[in-house]
Amino acid sequence: MTTSSASPGNGISNGVTLSSQNGQQENTSDVCVVGAGPAGVMLSALLARFGLKVELLDERPDKTAVGRADGIQPKTIETFQMLRVGDELFRTGVKVHDICMWQSSGTKSLRRLGREVHYPPSIVDVLQPYILLCHQGMVEGVFIDDLRRSGVEVQRSHSFKTYSYRDDEPQGALQISCDWAGHGEKTIFADYLVGCDGARSLVRRSIPDTYAQGTPHKSVWGVLDGELETDFPDLWSKTVVFSEEHGSVLIIPRERNMTRFYIEMKTSATPKDLGEEYVKQQARLILAPYHVEWRSVEWFGNYQVAQRVAARFSDASRRAFIAGDASHTHSPKAAQGMNTSMHDSWNLGWKLNLASRGLARDEVLLESYEHERKKIAHDLIDFDFEHANEIAAGDASRLAENFRKNTRFISGVGVEYGLNKLNLEDDGFSQGAAKPGCNLPPAKVTRYMDASPVDIQLDIPVLGQFRVYVVLGSEIGPSETSFMAALDSRLTSESSLIARVSEAAARSYQDKPRPIRIDDVYVRPERYTPVSQLITYSLITSADKKDFEIASLPPFLSKSGWTVYLDDVPNLDTQGRRCTDKWLGVLASNEVAIVTVRPDGYVGAVKRWSASESGAGESAANWLDGYFEGFLKVPTY
Amino acid sequence: MTTSSASPGNGISNGVTLSSQNGQQENTSDVCVVGAGPAGVMLSALLARFGLKVELLDERPDKTAVGRADGIQPKTIETFQMLRVGDELFRTGVKVHDICMWQSSGTKSLRRLGREVHYPPSIVDVLQPYILLCHQGMVEGVFIDDLRRSGVEVQRSHSFKTYSYRDDEPQGALQISCDWAGHGEKTIFADYLVGCDGARSLVRRSIPDTYAQGTPHKSVWGVLDGELETDFPDLWSKTVVFSEEHGSVLIIPRERNMTRFYIEMKTSATPKDLGEEYVKQQARLILAPYHVEWRSVEWFGNYQVAQRVAARFSDASRRAFIAGDASHTHSPKAAQGMNTSMHDSWNLGWKLNLASRGLARDEVLLESYEHERKKIAHDLIDFDFEHANEIAAGDASRLAENFRKNTRFISGVGVEYGLNKLNLEDDGFSQGAAKPGCNLPPAKVTRYMDASPVDIQLDIPVLGQFRVYVVLGSEIGPSETSFMAALDSRLTSESSLIARVSEAAARSYQDKPRPIRIDDVYVRPERYTPVSQLITYSLITSADKKDFEIASLPPFLSKSGWTVYLDDVPNLDTQGRRCTDKWLGVLASNEVAIVTVRPDGYVGAVKRWSASESGAGESAANWLDGYFEGFLKVPTY
């Protein structure tokens, strides 16, 4: 067992070949990911984009063909947009904008109780305020294609068996054993192992002390995907129908003209009762007097709800992790599973990259994965427990209330992390919506360089780097200029941690570069890392374009021409606010703010200074340096 | 020679096999398209989607690899969106939002005179108000992929030679002769022939009386695509730089970090002067004191500007047509060529489909192609002549003025057709922006069925059908209901032309169906033709959703549930108007309007009635029937 301070990465690739268990020569990979479901493909796609050597194993011979998860929440859509993937999902998926409730009781026949906007813009501030329905296999396909662009293929028919620390290298790689169907046992060496292998995760079982905490819920649910022949009018919303006599059905529209029905099964049921016919018959009874028949059925599944969270999300040495269903399970009815799972990976991916490159204080950065995501898993099962009960209980108004209370969380936009060394206490500096531990709020600005209106939260490509936004008011006068110059001089001087870690990052990315992808010729990643591989610097100003030239800014910004933005576009939020006002509240004349954003788009730290105060620029540089010092380090060679 | 009344289509496929010239058995195709440039691929893609049998020949062994046309105007972007193609262009292309002017003279060094929005929303009302730059081959690729989804492949290395009327069938197919490189002469039989074979069109030369009208312009221009090393700041706008001493350069940004330079060549030049080096040297001189060098050059071309329009766009029997550069040529500097060419095809495609199916009064519908597009070609060269002269003349303010005057036309949004039987005089009924002969103005509405906010101008897929929008106010009372019921009963009665042509269309599409495309499973074309293959019916109402159910509408609308729209979304135009107000001006209480839209998205006819007047519904039905009778007919069998 290595000690917990073991740091596998040092910025230099360990591409040495060593004898494997079966005598073959093998390379050591950076990360071995087990399971090519949504969590596994998302994680692998991120790591591969960041330049790590990834092995992605899956026991299945192909991606998910039908059924299973299907709901993509607004925040997940935003994440896909940040990654510039999933155009085909928008074109082919079904968009659910509202939620309908129907009810019948002994005295009253079935009637619509209400129809409401699912994600009202005043509550969920996001570009795409709907659930996008497309089945899990389509989502997996998007990332498998993305992995291919980074040069990685899923290794199919590979079943994980166990892992151990390599005997002869206690500080070295993990030795992962798996069974390759038809080829026998195979050993893979990797610095890290991540189990994205579902609720019955074998990786989780291989990690000590990860026993699941939680209470299995007794109810059993049937799920049916098919094309309907019906006169029921509300098939294209998320619809809950309660029948006092026959129970409830949850209706979800699907791509390809299909409809999904969720029906609770009798717990006293015989195996025969748990089938497709039972679900159909219940649906007919609940929806009467409307008629419903099936033209075709694509998938039927049933499952028992279990709400559980693993006790630990990693081993003690922070080499083996679990993510997705492997670390938490819950009911599928709020369309959370695929979304939460992918965001486990979204949280872990950039941290593993920095750790693998030897740039992280592992005890802070890697540890924060469990700290941040376990909180979310618990929030999720707490909500889910209530939500599933309300659907089963049959009280429409209580369900509606439960739903309303949790709307932001369900959308993913309201998934918030606590304060830690990555998410600093903001000391009242953020009087707007940009708050540490929260997603960066969407805002429209104009890119100076080409006059393009852009969504600033999506504009900078995801390269595993941080973003540092310098926010100025409407005047770039002498004090603002000297503030920026002081910042520039300190950030690039040898005395700053940022400069030294950036230098180490430059070496690391030179040695182990991000892959050259076919889309890079259009994306132009080099436009976003001209100063540092670790940080994209950006300026947001309300100044008029004609009042300054990019070339006249200090070097860290003039070299970053593609991320100089003009805050001159009214936002589309309900208050019509501009970016600066929305993020920070009012910025006083002569005030300069800095907003740091983590590679996963969460706000890290916010602070503001009066540019006219002497030493303000130096103070800002110290603060920024201190922030990064909390979780980054200069590797020792 | 057939007579001009010959109608090749009769709604029944002529898939008989006949001996061809070289003794082989051959099918007769509906349309043979020569040339797989932008006009040819657009036309073929449309015809193939509509279900016609298309042969697309191209003499080149592959699509355009580099250089040539590259500017996609706002209206063309909208057209692509209507066809649901080109996502990859938005992701990869460069977007030009503004236009910059620089000038130097003997006394003044080079300075920026101005920077303006290219397509101000108050002038060009369109969703995507920019020029999208991606080279011609990418555009061709989009449509070649689309053709593949319809089951059609480009026949490469096929050079058109000549065509004639088939000797033994004077009313029958055309006999088209071409040379298949390496395989010898090949004969193709087709009902129609369209030459999209460029400025030196051989198809045009085969059609009598198509001599080009116009004056070749003397100037010669060089075009250079490459990656630059420069400190000139305005590379990402459309930029014109005038130097009193050295002439002017037009700078256009390109995808893949490239920049295109257009430079006028000396007319007194020797061949050596007309090369890449001359253009580079001129650019250096004009841009001084800024430096400019080339990291790489992808393409260099030079051309002599010739402004010409063919005298005729078809032969006398309306069987052979020309489109694109084959019918008009002009300078490339306003980025019009590819756009105008594709819109020739956009105009011709649906007309050929209806004619081929025997549903058209050819002497009206096919004749309208030349009538409508020749006007545009003349408008274009008139503008182009001025525009090219102003660029050459070197007066920035005059160029800016010329540009401003023509902005709507350049964007494509302002390309307007005159009144004819397709575009009826509106008698003052349209007090808004929906005017016969003009593009349907963009507007946002909510689809009733799934509560999705949609862009109504894009929502109904292009299937070769018309759109008939019934527009109601905020109340669906008894008089509105009886208006719609009367319309329904007349439109479906045997006495109406619409019902009879729809019946013939149903037979025709049964016999010669639209292809089943892989994306149909998501697009669901059947949702848009439940009443007629010829017309998608649609309701737009300001009524509240809770005040009516789709099922309670009369059949022609209740069956059209996917095209029932609520006018409840404020528009994004500068005045923030809703759809009804924008299209029609104020609709009085009890007023009902009908807006017919042609398959190419142009408004055809607009009228309004007071629903409370007796016989209003019947009057509307008669008017609608009369409109379609102007250019459609029931085929005789």
Side-chain angles (χ1 to χ4, degrees):
Chain A
M1 218 34 153
T2 83
T3 68
S4 66
S5 65
S7 176
N10 57 3
I12 293 168
S13 146
N14 43 15
V16 283
T17 57
L18 288 155
S19 287
S20 77
Q21 212 173 30
N22 54 19
Q24 293 173 334
Q25 297 289 304
E26 296 257 14
N27 281 314
T28 299
S29 293
D30 295 307
V31 186
C32 174
V33 178
V34 178
V41 292
M42 165 66 96
L43 181 63
S44 304
L46 287 174
L47 298 175
R49 282 176 177 226
F50 300 158
L52 297 201
K53 189 175 169 209
V54 184
E55 311 254 9
L56 172 55
L57 315 180
D58 194 272
E59 59 180 8
R60 300 172 300 169
D62 205 349
K63 66 185 177 191
T64 305
V66 292
R68 306 181 73 96
D70 59 0
I72 305 172
Q73 297 287 352
K75 169 55 202 165
T76 310
I77 296 174
E78 183 181 86
T79 302
F80 288 6
Q81 291 186 308
M82 289 171 76
L83 290 168
R84 306 185 184 197
V85 298
D87 281 5
E88 59 272 47
L89 303 181
F90 297 113
R91 210 170 43 231
T92 56
V94 165
K95 292 164 186 157
V96 167
H97 284 271
D98 61 5
I99 183 162
C100 296
M101 304 262 183
W102 290 67
Q103 192 155 30
S104 67
S105 63
T107 51
K108 286 181 176 167
S109 65
L110 190 62
R111 70 211 182 280
R112 188 192 288 123
L113 292 186
R115 199 156 44 184
E116 284 181 32
V117 174
H118 202 302
Y119 291 124
S122 58
I123 296 173
V124 174
D125 183 16
V126 76
L127 270 184
Q128 318 287 343
Y130 50 79
I131 310 179
L132 181 65
L133 280 306
C134 9
H135 82 82
Q136 182 174 332
M138 292 163 74
V139 175
E140 291 169 13
V142 162
F143 285 90
I144 289 167
D145 289 349
D146 190 73
L147 274 164
R148 201 162 283 150
R149 284 193 288 276
S150 299
V152 176
E153 289 289 333
V154 185
Q155 298 177 55
R156 297 276 173 201
S157 307
H158 278 63
S159 307
F160 170 84
K161 292 176 68 184
T162 186
Y163 79 95
S164 58
Y165 290 84
R166 201 155 166 170
D167 296 333
D168 53 345
E169 271 187 76
Q171 306 282 328
L174 303 177
Q175 178 167 325
I176 296 148
S177 161
C178 64
D179 185 66
W180 184 8
H183 296 76
E185 187 162 329
K186 184 171 161 184
T187 300
I188 290 164
F189 297 100
D191 287 335
Y192 297 97
L193 167 67
V194 187
C196 302
D197 49 345
R200 291 170 190 174
S201 170
L202 293 176
V203 175
R204 184 184 65 224
R205 291 178 201 182
S206 306
I207 302 178
D209 306 324
T210 56
Y211 53 88
Q213 298 164 318
T215 324
H217 195 67
K218 282 293 177 223
S219 67
V220 177
W221 289 75
V223 197
L224 187 67
D225 282 344
E227 227 181 321
L228 301 187
E229 192 73 58
T230 183
D231 54 355
F232 183 74
D234 288 356
L235 285 190
W236 300 98
S237 305
K238 175 172 174 175
T239 300
V240 187
V241 183
F242 298 101
S243 155
E244 199 176 74
E245 193 178 353
H246 301 291
S248 23
V249 57
L250 170 62
I251 304 175
I252 305 281
R254 291 288 308 266
E255 80 286 354
R256 293 177 289 133
N257 210 35
M258 290 199 301
T259 306
R260 168 169 286 196
F261 278 36
Y262 285 103
I263 296 256
E264 186 165 6
M265 317 289 258
K266 290 173 193 157
T267 46
S268 61
T270 64
K272 190 169 153 278
D273 290 341
L274 295 172
E276 186 180 318
E277 263 317 310
Y278 175 81
V279 168
K280 285 183 172 174
Q281 189 50 32
Q282 283 304 103
R284 287 186 197 104
L285 292 171
I286 295 168
L287 289 176
Y290 294 100
H291 298 282
V292 55
E293 288 305 329
W294 282 259
R295 260 184 242 143
S296 60
V297 169
E298 182 171 280
W299 184 67
F300 172 77
N302 62 44
Y303 59 90
Q304 187 157 10
V305 174
Q307 276 116 347
R308 274 196 292 242
V309 177
R312 292 230 44 190
F313 286 16
S314 75
D315 68 353
S317 65
R318 292 180 294 267
R319 294 302 202 85
F321 296 83
I322 49 175
D325 285 357
S327 45
H328 44 74
T329 61
H330 47 85
S331 96
K333 284 177 297 297
Q336 291 297 296
M338 179 158 66
N339 298 277
T340 306
S341 293
M342 295 187 97
H343 283 97
D344 285 348
S345 296
W346 183 241
N347 184 292
L348 180 58
W350 65 273
K351 296 175 181 175
L352 274 184
N353 176 50
L354 291 174
S356 177
R357 292 181 183 277
L359 304 172
R361 295 185 193 272
D362 293 355
E363 70 285 6
V364 179
L365 195 63
L366 286 182
E367 201 62 36
S368 73
Y369 166 65
E370 179 177 307
H371 173 258
E372 294 185 334
R373 296 306 295 176
K374 205 170 166 190
K375 166 185 181 286
I376 304 309
H378 279 292
D379 291 352
L380 174 57
I381 64 159
D382 291 347
F383 152 68
D384 182 61
F385 184 76
E386 278 175 40
H387 190 67
N389 283 346
E390 296 296 1
I391 290 180
D395 185 326
S397 65
R398 277 180 51 193
L399 176 62
E401 183 46 36
N402 167 266
F403 190 80
R404 234 173 265 125
K405 201 175 75 186
N406 293 287
T407 301
R408 288 192 76 239
F409 183 78
I410 300 170
S411 75
V413 168
V415 169
E416 295 173 3
Y417 301 141
L419 298 180
N420 57 26
K421 289 200 170 174
L422 309 184
N423 317 317
L424 295 188
E425 175 88 53
D426 77 359
D427 297 326
F429 287 117
S430 171
Q431 292 148 22
K435 292 196 174 299
C438 300
N439 280 290
L440 186 67
K444 290 192 190 295
V445 293
T446 304
R447 198 158 50 200
Y448 184 111
M449 187 75 104
D450 64 355
S452 270
V454 297
D455 294 296
I456 194 167
Q457 74 279 12
L458 306 177
D459 191 52
I460 298 175
V462 175
L463 304 166
Q465 87 285 34
F466 292 82
R467 298 178 242 161
V468 170
Y469 295 102
V470 176
V471 189
L472 294 184
S474 57
E475 206 186 330
I476 306 185
S479 56
E480 287 79 9
T481 301
S482 79
F483 179 96
M484 290 188 285
L487 202 53
D488 181 77
S489 112
R490 276 282 278 107
L491 290 177
T492 52
S493 102
E494 268 301 309
S495 66
S496 83
L497 176 100
I498 290 180
R500 285 177 294 130
V501 183
S502 290
E503 200 190 316
R507 277 199 304 275
S508 174
Y509 281 104
Q510 189 157 24
D511 184 60
K512 190 191 294 195
R514 299 183 186 97
I516 294 167
R517 291 160 50 100
I518 194 165
D519 42 354
D520 282 351
V521 73
Y522 304 107
V523 172
R524 313 304 306 183
E526 73 277 10
R527 289 177 183 168
Y528 305 93
T529 51
V531 179
S532 164
Q533 293 292 330
L534 204 66
I535 300 170
T536 297
Y537 292 100
S538 166
L539 176 68
I540 302 172
T541 174
S542 313
D544 197 293
K545 191 172 189 173
K546 67 180 186 325
D547 292 344
F548 74 104
E549 299 285 330
I550 289 174
S552 61
L553 296 170
F556 82 112
L557 291 172
S558 66
K559 288 180 192 164
S560 306
W562 284 95
T563 49
V564 172
Y565 303 106
L566 302 169
D567 191 9
D568 58 0
V569 183
N571 275 293
L572 293 181
D573 76 353
T574 42
Q575 291 89 28
R577 289 170 303 178
R578 294 195 172 178
C579 178
T580 305
D581 303 343
K582 185 172 186 175
W583 282 9
L584 297 166
V586 176
L587 198 66
S589 155
N590 259 236
E591 261 193 327
V592 184
I594 293 181
V595 177
T596 74
V597 177
R598 307 167 8 157
D600 56 11
Y602 274 78
V603 176
V606 180
K607 193 163 177 174
R608 47 173 90 201
W609 295 263
S610 170
S612 52
E613 248 169 53
S614 104
E618 290 76 5
S619 152
N622 285 338
W623 172 82
L624 202 57
D625 224 36
Y627 169 68
F628 286 107
E629 201 157 12
F631 51 89
L632 296 184
K633 73 172 201 290
V634 182
T636 47
Y637 300 98
Chain B
M1 217 37 152
T2 83
T3 68
S4 66
S5 65
S7 175
N10 56 4
I12 293 168
S13 145
N14 43 15
V16 284
T17 57
L18 289 156
S19 288
S20 78
Q21 211 172 30
N22 55 17
Q24 294 175 331
Q25 298 288 304
E26 295 258 15
N27 282 314
T28 299
S29 293
D30 294 308
V31 186
C32 175
V33 178
V34 179
V41 291
M42 164 67 96
L43 181 64
S44 304
L46 286 175
L47 298 174
R49 281 175 176 229
F50 300 159
L52 298 199
K53 192 177 167 207
V54 185
E55 311 253 9
L56 173 55
L57 315 180
D58 194 273
E59 61 181 6
R60 299 172 300 170
D62 205 348
K63 65 186 178 191
T64 305
V66 293
R68 306 180 73 93
D70 60 359
I72 305 172
Q73 296 287 352
K75 169 55 202 164
T76 309
I77 296 174
E78 182 181 86
T79 302
F80 288 5
Q81 291 187 307
M82 290 172 76
L83 290 169
R84 306 183 184 200
V85 298
D87 281 5
E88 59 272 47
L89 302 181
F90 297 113
R91 210 170 42 231
T92 55
V94 165
K95 293 165 184 152
V96 167
H97 284 271
D98 61 5
I99 183 161
C100 296
M101 305 261 183
W102 289 69
Q103 193 155 30
S104 67
S105 62
T107 51
K108 287 180 176 169
S109 66
L110 190 61
R111 71 211 181 280
R112 188 191 289 122
L113 292 186
R115 196 155 47 182
E116 283 181 32
V117 175
H118 201 302
Y119 292 124
S122 58
I123 295 173
V124 173
D125 183 16
V126 79
L127 271 183
Q128 319 287 342
Y130 50 79
I131 310 180
L132 181 65
L133 280 304
C134 11
H135 82 83
Q136 183 174 332
M138 292 164 74
V139 175
E140 291 170 12
V142 162
F143 284 90
I144 289 167
D145 289 348
D146 190 73
L147 275 163
R148 202 162 283 150
R149 283 193 289 275
S150 299
V152 176
E153 290 288 333
V154 185
Q155 297 176 56
R156 296 274 173 204
S157 307
H158 279 63
S159 306
F160 171 85
K161 291 178 65 183
T162 184
Y163 79 96
S164 59
Y165 290 85
R166 199 156 167 169
D167 294 335
D168 52 348
E169 271 187 76
Q171 306 282 327
L174 303 176
Q175 180 168 322
I176 296 147
S177 161
C178 64
D179 185 66
W180 185 7
H183 296 76
E185 186 162 330
K186 185 171 160 185
T187 301
I188 289 164
F189 296 101
D191 287 335
Y192 298 97
L193 167 68
V194 187
C196 302
D197 49 343
R200 291 168 190 178
S201 170
L202 293 175
V203 174
R204 184 184 67 224
R205 291 179 200 182
S206 306
I207 302 177
D209 306 325
T210 56
Y211 54 88
Q213 299 165 318
T215 323
H217 196 68
K218 284 292 178 225
S219 67
V220 178
W221 289 75
V223 195
L224 187 67
D225 283 342
E227 228 180 322
L228 302 186
E229 193 72 58
T230 182
D231 55 355
F232 183 73
D234 288 357
L235 284 191
W236 300 98
S237 306
K238 175 172 173 173
T239 300
V240 189
V241 183
F242 298 101
S243 154
E244 199 175 77
E245 191 176 354
H246 302 290
S248 22
V249 57
L250 170 62
I251 304 176
I252 305 281
R254 290 286 310 263
E255 80 286 354
R256 294 176 290 131
N257 211 35
M258 290 199 301
T259 305
R260 169 169 285 197
F261 278 35
Y262 286 103
I263 296 253
E264 187 165 6
M265 316 288 258
K266 289 176 194 154
T267 45
S268 60
T270 63
K272 189 168 154 280
D273 290 340
L274 295 172
E276 186 180 317
E277 265 315 313
Y278 176 81
V279 168
K280 286 182 173 174
Q281 190 48 34
Q282 284 303 103
R284 288 186 197 103
L285 292 171
I286 295 168
L287 289 177
Y290 293 100
H291 298 282
V292 54
E293 286 306 329
W294 281 258
R295 259 183 244 144
S296 60
V297 169
E298 182 171 281
W299 185 68
F300 172 76
N302 63 44
Y303 59 89
Q304 186 155 13
V305 174
Q307 276 117 345
R308 270 195 294 243
V309 177
R312 292 231 43 191
F313 284 18
S314 75
D315 68 353
S317 66
R318 293 181 293 267
R319 295 299 204 87
F321 296 82
I322 48 175
D325 284 357
S327 44
H328 45 75
T329 60
H330 47 86
S331 95
K333 284 177 298 296
Q336 291 297 295
M338 179 156 67
N339 297 277
T340 306
S341 294
M342 295 189 98
H343 283 96
D344 285 349
S345 296
W346 182 241
N347 184 291
L348 181 59
W350 65 274
K351 296 174 181 176
L352 273 184
N353 176 49
L354 291 173
S356 176
R357 292 180 184 277
L359 303 172
R361 294 183 193 273
D362 292 355
E363 71 284 8
V364 180
L365 195 64
L366 286 184
E367 201 62 36
S368 73
Y369 166 65
E370 179 177 307
H371 173 256
E372 294 184 336
R373 296 306 296 177
K374 206 170 164 187
K375 167 186 181 287
I376 305 309
H378 280 290
D379 290 353
L380 174 58
I381 64 159
D382 289 350
F383 153 69
D384 180 62
F385 184 76
E386 279 174 41
H387 190 67
N389 283 346
E390 297 295 1
I391 291 181
D395 184 326
S397 67
R398 276 178 53 191
L399 175 62
E401 181 49 34
N402 167 266
F403 191 81
R404 236 174 263 125
K405 200 175 76 184
N406 292 286
T407 300
R408 288 194 74 239
F409 183 79
I410 299 169
S411 75
V413 168
V415 169
E416 295 174 4
Y417 300 140
L419 298 181
N420 58 24
K421 289 200 171 176
L422 310 184
N423 317 317
L424 296 188
E425 175 88 53
D426 78 358
D427 298 326
F429 288 116
S430 171
Q431 292 149 23
K435 293 197 174 297
C438 299
N439 279 292
L440 185 67
K444 289 191 190 297
V445 292
T446 304
R447 197 157 51 199
Y448 184 110
M449 189 74 105
D450 64 354
S452 270
V454 297
D455 293 297
I456 196 167
Q457 74 280 11
L458 306 176
D459 191 51
I460 298 176
V462 175
L463 304 166
Q465 87 285 33
F466 292 82
R467 297 178 245 160
V468 170
Y469 294 101
V470 177
V471 189
L472 295 184
S474 58
E475 206 188 328
I476 308 186
S479 56
E480 287 80 8
T481 303
S482 78
F483 179 96
M484 289 190 284
L487 201 56
D488 182 76
S489 114
R490 277 282 279 106
L491 289 177
T492 54
S493 101
E494 267 301 308
S495 66
S496 82
L497 175 100
I498 289 179
R500 286 178 293 130
V501 183
S502 288
E503 201 191 314
R507 278 199 304 276
S508 174
Y509 280 105
Q510 190 156 24
D511 184 60
K512 190 191 293 195
R514 299 182 186 97
I516 295 168
R517 290 160 50 101
I518 195 165
D519 43 354
D520 283 351
V521 73
Y522 303 108
V523 173
R524 314 303 306 184
E526 72 278 9
R527 291 177 182 166
Y528 305 93
T529 52
V531 179
S532 164
Q533 293 292 330
L534 204 66
I535 300 169
T536 297
Y537 292 100
S538 167
L539 176 69
I540 302 171
T541 173
S542 314
D544 197 290
K545 191 172 190 174
K546 69 179 183 327
D547 292 344
F548 74 104
E549 298 286 329
I550 289 174
S552 61
L553 296 169
F556 82 111
L557 291 172
S558 66
K559 288 180 192 164
S560 307
W562 284 96
T563 49
V564 173
Y565 302 106
L566 301 169
D567 191 10
D568 59 359
V569 183
N571 274 294
L572 293 181
D573 76 352
T574 41
Q575 291 88 28
R577 289 170 302 177
R578 294 196 172 177
C579 178
T580 305
D581 303 343
K582 184 171 188 176
W583 283 8
L584 297 165
V586 176
L587 197 66
S589 156
N590 260 236
E591 261 193 326
V592 184
I594 293 180
V595 177
T596 74
V597 177
R598 309 170 4 159
D600 56 11
Y602 273 78
V603 177
V606 181
K607 194 163 176 174
R608 47 172 93 200
W609 294 266
S610 169
S612 52
E613 248 169 55
S614 106
E618 290 77 6
S619 154
N622 285 337
W623 171 82
L624 203 55
D625 224 38
Y627 170 69
F628 285 107
E629 201 156 11
F631 51 88
L632 296 184
K633 73 173 200 293
V634 182
T636 48
Y637 299 100

